[in-house]
Amino acid sequence: MGMRRRRQYQEHDEEAIDLAPMLDFVLNLLIFFIITAVFVKEVGISLHQPSAPPNNQQQDKEDDKGTLFIAVHKSGDVSIDSRLIDVASVRANVERFRGEKPEGPVIVVANTKAATGVVVRVMDQARQGGALDVMLQPTASK
């Protein structure tokens, strides 16, 4: 019976650590870091992607006539309307297209395994040719 009383007495004799001051300190730190945090807006390049084609086939054919597609193949070859051209002649082709369709967009369809430098040069040539909207459309390689 004496052992039982001693254990009860020892359990009540221990003092508990008061956590309230530590919680106040942590809360103050949290408020301090929230107030002093600098929020940076990420700056990125916005790419204009073409909208989904309309369901009407006649409108789809008219859109194809009003859009210039420049294909950049995996090998680095550039073609317009299934004919191979040099990167330097992209500008002349875009200028001719802009003369026929001044508001027509130019879409560069680039293979994902094509050299980035070739794609950038094609887009630059298209812009120098007077294209206002040069859109990039990546395609998966086969």
Side-chain angles (χ1 to χ4, degrees), residues 1 29 33 38 44 67 74 84 89 92 103 106 122 126 128 130 134 137 142:
M1 189 131 180
L29 276 178
F33 285 122
V38 176
T67 303
K74 180 169 51 173
L84 288 175
S89 64
E103 298 297 321
V106 175
V122 167
Q128 289 175 2
V134 180
Q137 181 177 353
K142 293 182 180 179

Side-chain angles (χ1 to χ4, degrees), residues 19-34:
L19 296 178
M22 186 181 73
L23 289 175
D24 289 341
F25 179 73
V26 170
L27 184 62
N28 284 332
L29 276 178
L30 179 67
I31 292 170
F32 173 77
F33 285 122
I34 289 174

Side-chain angles (χ1 to χ4, degrees), residues 66-108:
T67 303
L68 178 65
F69 290 97
I70 305 171
V72 180
H73 304 281
K74 180 169 51 173
S75 61
D77 295 333
V78 180
S79 65
I80 295 178
D81 295 331
S82 299
R83 59 186 169 87
L84 288 175
I85 62 167
D86 189 32
V87 177
S89 64
V90 170
R91 180 177 178 175
N93 282 286
V94 170
E95 286 175 351
R96 187 176 67 234
F97 171 75
R98 296 287 294 159
E100 296 170 4
K101 305 279 183 183
E103 298 297 321
V106 175
I107 299 177
V108 177

Side-chain angles (χ1 to χ4, degrees), residues 98-120:
R98 296 287 294 159
E100 296 170 4
K101 305 279 183 183
E103 298 297 321
V106 175
I107 299 177
V108 177
V109 181
N111 191 304
T112 54
K113 294 201 175 181
T116 307
V118 175
V119 176
V120 170

